[in-house]
């Protein structure tokens, strides 16, 4: 059984649907900002001295096989040795093609869900940017399309990055983190401003799931990036984690937006965070922003969760696949013990107007499905840095 996730006005409308469609017909709608804009703390969701949103303790309710619950808390580090620079996915519900520089509630929810857990291992930076909005997607269903400007979004993030390098970095290692639109923007930033340039020496890693990151078939560098390889080891520096997640039983179909490439000789990369962290799937699914559809077996349990995140340890396994369906992270349910009282599946599929969108797989939960593994990977870099001092 698949537990559906309906599309709604929440951070989970990460809607790669939106960004990929918008990017095809983007038109300039405004001027780029200079990096002096980011001298104002209000242009950031998080930065040192202005980071309450990102440094709140992360509480996760773990649901055991007998349905018993336990809560674990991940606290923000007091003096981490490395930084995390985060670009949030498509979440803005503003009616224009590009958002304003506003810390709207939906933007704050995205940061709390995807960046805050990393504050336990790194110093968080999250710039506001004028992203392409959900309105662009919705308008395509009408006769009055709203046009978004991907150049505006990119140049905002580039300006924030330049300000960070000049004012905050001071030679510190940095992990770049994004998802969906955020990953697209960061991939371009890395390709144009980091790959093969002096700033590459600062790169601890790039975590950019939710886009088709390409490499030559059977290789780990030479596609989207020319000098920065995929990660193969938990302590490897200067590498990339990228994947698109699909249920194993419904891999990327023909014409899928994720997992397949049209470029001869290339494949969509897949790095498995469980192998990099040396641990099984360690999830932190948002507990307060998921809308269940057709999930009657989940509701009694879901309604008892009081923390921002929840997990069902041991229920899920993942494996990178490169086959006739493309390159993707295959997500499977583990064999169930007869005594396991939990629901038989996890939420995460995209449903639009009552129909499952198989071409997007489990895009909505790419990051949170493996949050603990990703945080552990970044934490290894923090410990390695400390050991080197």
């Amino acid at each position: 059984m698949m537990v559906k996730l309906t599309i709604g006005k929440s951070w989970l409308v990460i809607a790669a649907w939106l960004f990929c469609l918008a990017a095809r017909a983007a038109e300039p709608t405004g001027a780029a900002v200079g990096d002096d804009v980011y001298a104002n703390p209000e242009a950031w969701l998080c930065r040192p001295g202005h980071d309450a949103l990102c440094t709140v303790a992360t509480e996760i309710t773990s649901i055991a096989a007998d349905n018993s619950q336990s809560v674990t808390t991940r606290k923000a580090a007091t003096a981490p040795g490395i930084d995390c620079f985060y670009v949030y996915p498509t979440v803005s519900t503003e009616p224009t093609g590009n958002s304003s520089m506003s810390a709207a509630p939906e933007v704050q929810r995205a940061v709390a869900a995807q960046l805050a857990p990393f504050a336990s291992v790194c110093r968080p930076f999250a710039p506001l940017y004028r992203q392409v909005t959900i309105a662009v997607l919705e308008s395509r269903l009408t006769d009055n399309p709203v046009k978004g400007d991907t150049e505006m979004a990119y140049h905002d993030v580039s300006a924030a990055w330049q300000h960070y390098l000049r004012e905050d970095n001071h030679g510190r290692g940095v992990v770049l983190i994004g998802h969906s639109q955020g990953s697209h923007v960061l991939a371009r930033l890395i390709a144009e401003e980091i790959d093969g340039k002096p700033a590459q020496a600062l790169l601890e890693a790039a975590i950019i799931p939710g886009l088709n990151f390409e490499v030559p078939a059977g290789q780990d560098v030479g596609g989207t990036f020319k000098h920065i390889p995929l990660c193969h080891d938990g302590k490897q520096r200067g590498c990339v984690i990228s994947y698109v997640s699909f249920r194993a039983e419904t891999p990327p179909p023909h014409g899928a937006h994720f997992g397949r490439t049209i470029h001869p000789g290339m494949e969509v990369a897949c790095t498995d965070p469980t192998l990099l962290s040396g641990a099984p799937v360690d999830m932190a699914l948002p507990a307060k922003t998921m809308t269940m559809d057709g999930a009657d077996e989940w509701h009694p349990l879901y309604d008892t969760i009081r923390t921002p995140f929840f997990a069902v340890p041991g229920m899920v396994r993942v494996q990178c696949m490169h086959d006739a369906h493309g390159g993707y992270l295959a997500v499977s349910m583990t064999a169930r013990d007869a005594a396991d009282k939990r629901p038989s599946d996890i939420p995460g599929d995209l449903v639009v107007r009552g129909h499952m969108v198989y071409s997007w797989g489990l895009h909505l939960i790419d990051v949170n499905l493996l949050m603990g593994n990703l945080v552990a990977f970044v934490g290894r870099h923090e410990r390695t840095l400390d050991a080197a001092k």
Side-chain angles (χ1 to χ4, degrees), residues 180-252:
S180 196
Q181 181 173 175
S183 287
H184 280 271
V185 172
L186 282 178
R188 179 177 170 185
L189 178 79
I190 295 168
E192 295 186 7
E193 304 186 36
I194 298 174
D195 191 12
K197 295 180 172 61
Q200 186 175 336
L202 303 172
L203 184 67
E204 291 292 330
I207 301 175
I208 47 174
L211 84 162
N212 285 340
F213 183 88
E214 296 186 357
V215 291
Q219 300 182 40
D220 64 358
V221 69
T224 303
F225 299 157
K226 304 306 179 186
H227 306 92
I228 303 173
L230 298 176
C231 297
H232 292 289
D233 179 85
K235 295 184 179 180
Q236 184 179 350
R237 290 190 70 253
C239 59
V240 179
I241 296 175
S242 188
Y243 56 88
V244 294
S245 54
F246 281 79
R247 292 185 183 274
E249 65 271 24
T250 54

Side-chain angles (χ1 to χ4, degrees), residues 151-365:
E151 290 296 307
M152 178 190 293
Y154 171 73
H155 287 297
D156 283 357
V157 173
S158 175
W161 170 250
Q162 293 303 324
H163 185 275
Y164 160 77
L165 286 180
R166 186 178 68 250
E167 302 295 336
D168 297 292
N169 179 264
H170 306 303
R172 292 166 61 90
V174 57
V175 179
L176 284 82
I177 303 171
H179 183 231
S180 196
Q181 181 173 175
S183 287
H184 280 271
V185 172
L186 282 178
R188 179 177 170 185
L189 178 79
I190 295 168
E192 295 186 7
E193 304 186 36
I194 298 174
D195 191 12
K197 295 180 172 61
Q200 186 175 336
L202 303 172
L203 184 67
E204 291 292 330
I207 301 175
I208 47 174
L211 84 162
N212 285 340
F213 183 88
E214 296 186 357
V215 291
Q219 300 182 40
D220 64 358
V221 69
T224 303
F225 299 157
K226 304 306 179 186
H227 306 92
I228 303 173
L230 298 176
C231 297
H232 292 289
D233 179 85
K235 295 184 179 180
Q236 184 179 350
R237 290 190 70 253
C239 59
V240 179
I241 296 175
S242 188
Y243 56 88
V244 294
S245 54
F246 281 79
R247 292 185 183 274
E249 65 271 24
T250 54
H254 180 72
H257 297 285
F258 295 110
R260 293 177 178 265
T261 176
I262 61 173
H263 300 122
M266 293 289 185
E267 65 184 14
V268 176
C270 179
T271 44
D272 182 347
T274 66
L275 298 180
L276 298 177
S277 66
V281 171
D282 186 0
M283 67 184 72
L285 298 177
K288 303 305 178 185
T289 55
M290 302 189 87
T291 303
M292 305 289 182
D293 181 27
D296 292 342
E297 65 171 350
W298 253 105
H299 284 296
L301 186 58
Y302 183 69
D303 292 343
T304 67
I305 299 170
R306 298 290 180 264
T307 60
F309 299 93
F310 72 99
V312 279
M315 271 187 60
V316 178
R317 65 180 185 274
V318 298
Q319 179 182 6
C320 278
M321 302 292 292
H322 288 95
D323 56 24
H325 300 286
Y328 58 102
L329 189 68
V331 180
S332 306
M333 299 302 109
T334 57
R336 290 174 61 83
D337 186 283
D340 198 328
K341 299 179 181 179
R342 297 174 296 185
S344 59
D345 211 339
I346 61 169
D349 304 281
L350 176 64
V351 179
V352 178
R353 295 183 174 182
H355 298 284
M356 193 82 71
V357 185
Y358 292 106
S359 60
W360 301 104
L362 293 171
H363 180 78
L364 299 179
I365 58 170

